[in-house]
Amino acid sequence: MASAATTPPKGGAKAPATLLIVGDSLSAEYGLARGTGWVALLQKRLASRPGTTVVNASISGDTTSGGAARLPALLKAHHPTHVIIELGGNDALRGLPMKATKETLDGMVRSAQATGAKVVLVGMMMPPNFGRRYAEEFAAIFPAVAAARGAAVVPFFLKGVADRPDARDWFQPDGIHPQAKAHPVMLDNVWPVLEPLL
């Protein structure tokens, strides 16, 4: 007789999931009231799924190299079924080599997949003042890594926020970090990619 731990969920119920989010300030609620960021909203959306846990390991200012350095311990500690990687924006803002960013993201995806986790890579784009060629090359990193590793990808995390005619009104005074009203839109960019994997 199968034990409770090995009995498949009945009636199409979803198996328990642990989602690990490794991101930067966009996922760490920088400048926002606690509970208003997209990760907290995701947790509320998943509240109806028994046994689902969301671990937000995001740190404001983090780069891909910082995330890569933290990832092994996070994987070991939380044994996630899903890993959402939201990093790369700070690499670009600091002028770090795009090749290094791409290779580091690729390594993070491989490390997470090696544990059996499903990976969602969250894509980012740079403002026009970075130059068209740079912006296009940077944006291409995320779908390229996802395609190479069979990971899921969110094309542009800030779609519907940064590309609005009134975009300035959706950001905090620094012009970099979205206001709380933008975070439901950000979650809605992630959700259609994430939900089929749950």
Side-chain angles (χ1 to χ4, degrees):
M1 185 175 177
S3 69
T6 58
T7 302
K10 294 180 181 178
K14 301 289 186 180
T18 298
L19 283 67
L20 172 66
I21 291 88
V22 185
D24 52 31
S25 56
L26 298 184
S27 299
E29 293 190 325
Y30 177 89
L32 303 177
R34 288 293 156 261
T36 59
W38 78 271
V39 177
L41 298 176
L42 171 64
Q43 195 160 15
K44 290 174 185 173
R45 186 171 291 189
L46 293 170
S48 62
R49 300 181 186 228
T52 300
T53 303
V54 177
V55 178
N56 191 356
S58 303
I59 296 178
S60 293
D62 209 4
T63 59
T64 55
S65 61
R70 296 189 294 118
L71 186 59
L74 291 169
L75 293 172
K76 186 175 181 180
H78 301 290
H79 305 287
T81 54
H82 301 74
V83 176
I84 302 174
I85 301 172
E86 183 276 301
L87 289 168
N90 287 317
D91 294 45
L93 292 174
R94 296 181 187 188
L96 301 178
M98 276 192 275
K99 182 181 178 184
T101 297
K102 184 176 182 180
E103 290 175 351
T104 306
L105 285 173
D106 183 78
M108 291 184 73
V109 172
R110 284 188 287 113
S111 295
Q113 289 177 331
T115 68
K118 296 176 182 177
V119 178
V120 175
L121 198 56
V122 179
M124 183 52 63
M125 296 182 184
M126 287 294 102
N129 58 298
F130 277 72
R132 182 176 174 179
R133 182 180 173 185
Y134 183 93
E136 288 177 350
E137 289 180 2
F138 179 78
I141 289 174
F142 303 92
V145 171
R149 298 298 163 198
V153 63
V154 176
F156 181 30
F157 193 26
L158 296 180
K159 181 176 176 58
V161 178
D163 53 1
R164 299 172 60 93
D166 61 342
R168 192 65 195 84
D169 296 333
W170 286 68
F171 284 83
Q172 297 177 39
D174 61 14
I176 296 173
H177 299 96
Q179 294 184 27
K181 67 178 181 178
H183 281 258
V185 179
M186 293 156 66
L187 173 57
D188 285 342
N189 289 333
V190 174
W191 185 249
V193 178
L194 173 63
E195 186 183 24
L197 304 179
L198 294 172

